[in-house]
mmCIF file of all heavy atoms in Angstrom:
data_model
loop_
_atom_site.group_PDB
_atom_site.id
_atom_site.type_symbol
_atom_site.label_atom_id
_atom_site.label_comp_id
_atom_site.label_asym_id
_atom_site.label_seq_id
_atom_site.Cartn_x
_atom_site.Cartn_y
_atom_site.Cartn_z
ATOM 1 N N PRO T 226 -7.633 -10.888 -26.363
ATOM 2 C CA PRO T 226 -6.994 -9.647 -26.799
ATOM 3 C C PRO T 226 -7.860 -8.406 -26.557
ATOM 4 O O PRO T 226 -9.004 -8.330 -27.003
ATOM 5 C CB PRO T 226 -6.763 -9.898 -28.292
ATOM 6 C CG PRO T 226 -6.576 -11.370 -28.394
ATOM 7 C CD PRO T 226 -7.508 -11.958 -27.382
ATOM 8 N N GLY T 227 -7.298 -7.465 -25.800
ATOM 9 C CA GLY T 227 -7.986 -6.209 -25.524
ATOM 10 C C GLY T 227 -8.788 -6.170 -24.245
ATOM 11 O O GLY T 227 -9.232 -5.081 -23.834
ATOM 12 N N TYR T 228 -8.979 -7.306 -23.566
ATOM 13 C CA TYR T 228 -9.823 -7.333 -22.361
ATOM 14 C C TYR T 228 -9.025 -7.916 -21.197
ATOM 15 O O TYR T 228 -8.530 -9.046 -21.240
ATOM 16 C CB TYR T 228 -11.092 -8.140 -22.628
ATOM 17 C CG TYR T 228 -11.963 -7.482 -23.675
ATOM 18 C CD1 TYR T 228 -11.865 -7.856 -25.003
ATOM 19 C CD2 TYR T 228 -12.829 -6.461 -23.335
ATOM 20 C CE1 TYR T 228 -12.646 -7.262 -25.983
ATOM 21 C CE2 TYR T 228 -13.612 -5.835 -24.295
ATOM 22 C CZ TYR T 228 -13.513 -6.233 -25.603
ATOM 23 O OH TYR T 228 -14.265 -5.609 -26.557
ATOM 24 N N VAL T 229 -8.942 -7.117 -20.117
ATOM 25 C CA VAL T 229 -8.093 -7.418 -18.972
ATOM 26 C C VAL T 229 -8.933 -7.971 -17.814
ATOM 27 O O VAL T 229 -10.066 -7.512 -17.582
ATOM 28 C CB VAL T 229 -7.346 -6.150 -18.515
ATOM 29 C CG1 VAL T 229 -6.560 -6.396 -17.232
ATOM 30 C CG2 VAL T 229 -6.401 -5.683 -19.617
ATOM 31 N N TYR T 230 -8.372 -8.915 -17.112
ATOM 32 C CA TYR T 230 -8.979 -9.471 -15.903
ATOM 33 C C TYR T 230 -8.094 -9.136 -14.721
ATOM 34 O O TYR T 230 -6.891 -9.460 -14.699
ATOM 35 C CB TYR T 230 -9.119 -10.977 -16.024
ATOM 36 C CG TYR T 230 -9.594 -11.690 -14.777
ATOM 37 C CD1 TYR T 230 -10.936 -11.622 -14.394
ATOM 38 C CD2 TYR T 230 -8.712 -12.405 -13.982
ATOM 39 C CE1 TYR T 230 -11.377 -12.270 -13.245
ATOM 40 C CE2 TYR T 230 -9.136 -13.082 -12.846
ATOM 41 C CZ TYR T 230 -10.469 -13.003 -12.472
ATOM 42 O OH TYR T 230 -10.905 -13.650 -11.344
ATOM 43 N N VAL T 231 -8.666 -8.465 -13.718
ATOM 44 C CA VAL T 231 -7.960 -8.107 -12.478
ATOM 45 C C VAL T 231 -8.654 -8.771 -11.308
ATOM 46 O O VAL T 231 -9.846 -8.527 -11.068
ATOM 47 C CB VAL T 231 -7.919 -6.578 -12.257
ATOM 48 C CG1 VAL T 231 -7.209 -6.253 -10.944
ATOM 49 C CG2 VAL T 231 -7.245 -5.874 -13.422
ATOM 50 N N ARG T 232 -7.945 -9.613 -10.595
ATOM 51 C CA ARG T 232 -8.475 -10.280 -9.416
ATOM 52 C C ARG T 232 -7.785 -9.742 -8.163
ATOM 53 O O ARG T 232 -6.554 -9.780 -8.073
ATOM 54 C CB ARG T 232 -8.266 -11.794 -9.505
ATOM 55 C CG ARG T 232 -8.442 -12.552 -8.218
ATOM 56 C CD ARG T 232 -9.878 -12.524 -7.720
ATOM 57 N NE ARG T 232 -10.033 -13.266 -6.453
ATOM 58 C CZ ARG T 232 -11.080 -13.158 -5.651
ATOM 59 N NH1 ARG T 232 -12.082 -12.356 -5.971
ATOM 60 N NH2 ARG T 232 -11.158 -13.880 -4.555
ATOM 61 N N ILE T 233 -8.575 -9.205 -7.219
ATOM 62 C CA ILE T 233 -8.039 -8.769 -5.930
ATOM 63 C C ILE T 233 -8.704 -9.624 -4.865
ATOM 64 O O ILE T 233 -9.920 -9.569 -4.680
ATOM 65 C CB ILE T 233 -8.298 -7.257 -5.670
ATOM 66 C CG1 ILE T 233 -7.613 -6.425 -6.754
ATOM 67 C CG2 ILE T 233 -7.783 -6.874 -4.296
ATOM 68 C CD1 ILE T 233 -7.803 -4.935 -6.595
ATOM 69 N N SER T 234 -7.909 -10.433 -4.163
ATOM 70 C CA SER T 234 -8.440 -11.384 -3.196
ATOM 71 C C SER T 234 -8.602 -10.798 -1.814
ATOM 72 O O SER T 234 -9.384 -11.318 -1.004
ATOM 73 C CB SER T 234 -7.544 -12.623 -3.128
ATOM 74 O OG SER T 234 -6.234 -12.263 -2.749
ATOM 75 N N GLN T 235 -7.912 -9.712 -1.507
ATOM 76 C CA GLN T 235 -7.983 -9.023 -0.220
ATOM 77 C C GLN T 235 -7.235 -7.697 -0.330
ATOM 78 O O GLN T 235 -6.544 -7.460 -1.313
ATOM 79 C CB GLN T 235 -7.361 -9.875 0.893
ATOM 80 C CG GLN T 235 -5.900 -10.211 0.647
ATOM 81 C CD GLN T 235 -5.475 -11.499 1.273
ATOM 82 O OE1 GLN T 235 -5.942 -11.825 2.346
ATOM 83 N NE2 GLN T 235 -4.623 -12.243 0.621
ATOM 84 N N PHE T 236 -7.395 -6.838 0.674
ATOM 85 C CA PHE T 236 -6.748 -5.535 0.640
ATOM 86 C C PHE T 236 -5.711 -5.466 1.755
ATOM 87 O O PHE T 236 -6.043 -5.266 2.915
ATOM 88 C CB PHE T 236 -7.795 -4.419 0.770
ATOM 89 C CG PHE T 236 -8.641 -4.277 -0.453
ATOM 90 C CD1 PHE T 236 -9.809 -4.996 -0.596
ATOM 91 C CD2 PHE T 236 -8.256 -3.426 -1.471
ATOM 92 C CE1 PHE T 236 -10.588 -4.878 -1.748
ATOM 93 C CE2 PHE T 236 -9.021 -3.300 -2.626
ATOM 94 C CZ PHE T 236 -10.193 -4.033 -2.759
ATOM 95 N N GLN T 237 -4.446 -5.647 1.387
ATOM 96 C CA GLN T 237 -3.364 -5.563 2.346
ATOM 97 C C GLN T 237 -2.458 -4.396 2.002
ATOM 98 O O GLN T 237 -2.733 -3.642 1.057
ATOM 99 C CB GLN T 237 -2.592 -6.897 2.381
ATOM 100 C CG GLN T 237 -2.098 -7.372 1.023
ATOM 101 C CD GLN T 237 -1.695 -8.853 1.037
ATOM 102 O OE1 GLN T 237 -2.437 -9.709 1.507
ATOM 103 N NE2 GLN T 237 -0.533 -9.151 0.478
ATOM 104 N N ASP T 238 -1.384 -4.220 2.758
ATOM 105 C CA ASP T 238 -0.656 -2.965 2.662
ATOM 106 C C ASP T 238 0.018 -2.713 1.334
ATOM 107 O O ASP T 238 0.303 -1.571 1.000
ATOM 108 C CB ASP T 238 0.353 -2.846 3.823
ATOM 109 C CG ASP T 238 1.298 -4.021 3.898
ATOM 110 O OD1 ASP T 238 1.226 -4.919 3.032
ATOM 111 O OD2 ASP T 238 2.113 -4.056 4.845
ATOM 112 N N ASP T 239 0.257 -3.747 0.515
ATOM 113 C CA ASP T 239 0.926 -3.554 -0.756
ATOM 114 C C ASP T 239 -0.013 -3.725 -1.958
ATOM 115 O O ASP T 239 0.428 -3.775 -3.094
ATOM 116 C CB ASP T 239 2.106 -4.513 -0.895
ATOM 117 C CG ASP T 239 1.673 -5.965 -0.912
ATOM 118 O OD1 ASP T 239 0.503 -6.261 -0.570
ATOM 119 O OD2 ASP T 239 2.507 -6.840 -1.242
#
Side-chain angles (χ1 to χ4, degrees):
Y228 296 94
V229 173
Y230 174 76
V231 178
R232 165 66 180 165
I233 299 180
S234 59
Q235 59 208 324
F236 288 89
Q237 54 196 48
D238 54 4
D239 63 347

